[in-house]
Amino acid sequence: MNKSLIALLSAAALLVLQGCAQGDGTVNDKSRTPCGDKPNCVSSIDPREEYAVAPFVLVSDEVSMPRLVDAVLTLPGARVGTQEPGYARIEFVSSIMRFVDDVELRIDGEDLIVRSESRVGYSDFGVNRKRVEALRTLLQEKGFIQ
Protein backbone atom coordinates (compact mmCIF):
# COMPACT_ATOMS: atom_id res chain seq x y z
CA MET A 1 0.00 0.00 0.00
CA ASN A 2 1.18 3.47 -0.65
CA LYS A 3 1.66 5.98 2.16
CA SER A 4 -1.21 8.27 1.20
CA LEU A 5 -3.69 5.37 1.24
CA ILE A 6 -2.42 4.28 4.67
CA ALA A 7 -2.74 7.84 5.95
CA LEU A 8 -6.30 8.08 4.57
CA LEU A 9 -7.32 4.79 6.16
CA SER A 10 -5.75 5.81 9.47
CA ALA A 11 -7.61 9.12 9.44
CA ALA A 12 -10.90 7.36 8.64
CA ALA A 13 -10.36 4.87 11.47
CA LEU A 14 -9.64 7.70 13.89
CA LEU A 15 -12.83 9.52 12.88
CA VAL A 16 -14.85 6.35 13.41
CA LEU A 17 -13.31 5.86 16.85
CA GLN A 18 -13.96 9.47 17.78
CA GLY A 19 -17.57 9.22 16.66
CA CYS A 20 -18.05 6.05 18.67
CA ALA A 21 -16.33 7.53 21.69
CA GLN A 22 -19.00 10.19 22.05
CA GLY A 23 -21.57 7.69 23.29
CA ASP A 24 -25.25 8.49 23.42
CA GLY A 25 -25.96 12.12 22.58
CA THR A 26 -29.07 12.12 24.79
CA VAL A 27 -28.14 12.10 28.46
CA ASN A 28 -30.74 11.80 31.19
CA ASP A 29 -30.36 13.26 34.67
CA LYS A 30 -28.77 10.53 36.81
CA SER A 31 -27.60 12.80 39.62
CA ARG A 32 -29.82 11.14 42.24
CA THR A 33 -29.12 7.56 41.15
CA PRO A 34 -26.25 5.35 42.29
CA CYS A 35 -23.62 4.28 39.80
CA GLY A 36 -24.11 1.08 37.82
CA ASP A 37 -21.85 -1.94 38.25
CA LYS A 38 -19.02 -0.80 35.96
CA PRO A 39 -15.95 0.89 37.49
CA ASN A 40 -16.40 4.06 35.42
CA CYS A 41 -18.47 6.16 37.81
CA VAL A 42 -18.29 7.85 41.20
CA SER A 43 -20.98 9.62 43.18
CA SER A 44 -21.30 11.54 46.43
CA ILE A 45 -24.54 9.68 47.21
CA ASP A 46 -23.56 6.12 46.25
CA PRO A 47 -23.16 4.11 49.48
CA ARG A 48 -20.85 1.49 47.95
CA GLU A 49 -17.20 2.11 48.78
CA GLU A 50 -15.85 1.52 45.28
CA TYR A 51 -18.19 4.18 43.82
CA ALA A 52 -18.45 6.62 46.73
CA VAL A 53 -16.74 9.97 47.11
CA ALA A 54 -16.97 12.08 50.26
CA PRO A 55 -19.95 14.47 50.46
CA PHE A 56 -19.71 18.00 49.12
CA VAL A 57 -21.22 20.39 51.70
CA LEU A 58 -21.99 23.92 50.53
CA VAL A 59 -20.82 26.76 52.78
CA SER A 60 -24.09 28.66 52.42
CA ASP A 61 -27.38 28.71 50.55
CA GLU A 62 -26.05 31.66 48.56
CA VAL A 63 -23.85 29.41 46.41
CA SER A 64 -25.67 29.27 43.09
CA MET A 65 -25.44 26.83 40.23
CA PRO A 66 -24.19 29.48 37.77
CA ARG A 67 -21.26 30.26 40.10
CA LEU A 68 -20.47 26.55 40.48
CA VAL A 69 -20.64 26.00 36.72
CA ASP A 70 -18.34 28.96 36.05
CA ALA A 71 -15.79 27.39 38.39
CA VAL A 72 -16.09 23.91 36.86
CA LEU A 73 -15.60 25.30 33.36
CA THR A 74 -12.05 26.29 34.33
CA LEU A 75 -11.09 22.59 34.45
CA PRO A 76 -9.52 21.12 31.28
CA GLY A 77 -11.91 19.74 28.67
CA ALA A 78 -15.08 21.09 30.32
CA ARG A 79 -18.12 22.32 28.43
CA VAL A 80 -21.74 22.88 29.51
CA GLY A 81 -24.10 20.08 28.57
CA THR A 82 -27.19 21.21 30.51
CA GLN A 83 -27.79 23.95 33.03
CA GLU A 84 -30.98 24.53 34.98
CA PRO A 85 -31.73 26.11 38.36
CA GLY A 86 -30.16 23.77 40.91
CA TYR A 87 -28.79 21.28 38.36
CA ALA A 88 -26.03 21.16 35.77
CA ARG A 89 -24.35 18.56 33.61
CA ILE A 90 -20.85 19.38 32.49
CA GLU A 91 -19.25 17.29 29.74
CA PHE A 92 -15.55 16.57 29.93
CA VAL A 93 -13.99 15.58 26.61
CA SER A 94 -10.64 13.78 26.61
CA SER A 95 -8.00 15.40 24.44
CA ILE A 96 -6.92 12.44 22.30
CA MET A 97 -9.73 9.92 21.89
CA ARG A 98 -12.51 12.47 22.53
CA PHE A 99 -14.22 10.29 25.16
CA VAL A 100 -16.99 12.11 27.01
CA ASP A 101 -17.55 11.92 30.76
CA ASP A 102 -20.59 13.57 32.35
CA VAL A 103 -20.22 15.39 35.66
CA GLU A 104 -23.57 16.14 37.20
CA LEU A 105 -24.08 18.69 39.97
CA ARG A 106 -27.31 19.09 41.94
CA ILE A 107 -27.90 21.44 44.84
CA ASP A 108 -29.88 19.54 47.48
CA GLY A 109 -30.27 21.72 50.57
CA GLU A 110 -26.80 22.22 52.02
CA ASP A 111 -25.36 19.37 49.95
CA LEU A 112 -23.99 19.43 46.46
CA ILE A 113 -24.62 16.06 44.85
CA VAL A 114 -21.74 15.23 42.51
CA ARG A 115 -21.77 12.32 40.07
CA SER A 116 -19.19 11.66 37.36
CA GLU A 117 -19.54 8.85 34.81
CA SER A 118 -17.97 7.83 31.52
CA ARG A 119 -20.45 7.47 28.67
CA VAL A 120 -18.75 4.47 27.12
CA GLY A 121 -16.38 1.74 28.16
CA TYR A 122 -16.07 -0.52 31.14
CA SER A 123 -13.33 1.08 33.23
CA ASP A 124 -12.22 4.69 33.37
CA PHE A 125 -8.88 3.87 35.07
CA GLY A 126 -9.76 6.21 37.94
CA VAL A 127 -10.26 9.31 35.78
CA ASN A 128 -13.68 10.22 37.19
CA ARG A 129 -12.52 9.89 40.80
CA LYS A 130 -9.47 12.09 40.09
CA ARG A 131 -11.66 14.66 38.34
CA VAL A 132 -14.12 14.79 41.23
CA GLU A 133 -11.30 15.26 43.74
CA ALA A 134 -9.84 18.04 41.56
CA LEU A 135 -13.31 19.57 41.52
CA ARG A 136 -13.48 19.31 45.32
CA THR A 137 -10.15 21.14 45.67
CA LEU A 138 -11.27 23.85 43.24
CA LEU A 139 -14.61 24.41 44.98
CA GLN A 140 -12.89 24.54 48.39
CA GLU A 141 -10.40 27.11 47.08
CA LYS A 142 -13.28 29.21 45.72
CA GLY A 143 -14.98 29.02 49.13
CA PHE A 144 -18.08 27.23 47.80
CA ILE A 145 -17.82 24.01 49.82
CA GLN A 146 -16.42 23.05 53.23
Side-chain angles (χ1 to χ4, degrees), residues 16-72:
V16 168
L17 284 173
Q18 285 179 342
C20 293
Q22 297 300 318
D24 185 7
T26 304
V27 179
N28 296 321
D29 176 1
K30 297 180 185 177
S31 62
R32 292 186 178 115
T33 59
C35 295
D37 292 329
K38 298 187 296 184
N40 67 355
C41 177
V42 294
S43 170
S44 62
I45 61 168
D46 198 313
R48 299 169 297 167
E49 184 178 337
E50 63 269 31
Y51 302 102
V53 294
F56 285 64
V57 180
L58 297 168
V59 295
S60 78
D61 59 358
E62 294 182 18
V63 177
S64 67
M65 188 55 67
R67 291 177 68 197
L68 292 167
V69 169
D70 285 346
V72 176

Side-chain angles (χ1 to χ4, degrees), residues 65-81 83 89-92 105 135 138-139:
M65 188 55 67
R67 291 177 68 197
L68 292 167
V69 169
D70 285 346
V72 176
L73 290 176
T74 65
L75 295 173
R79 66 184 185 203
V80 175
Q83 186 175 351
R89 181 177 50 80
I90 309 298
E91 299 173 344
F92 283 84
L105 307 173
L135 175 61
L138 173 68
L139 296 180

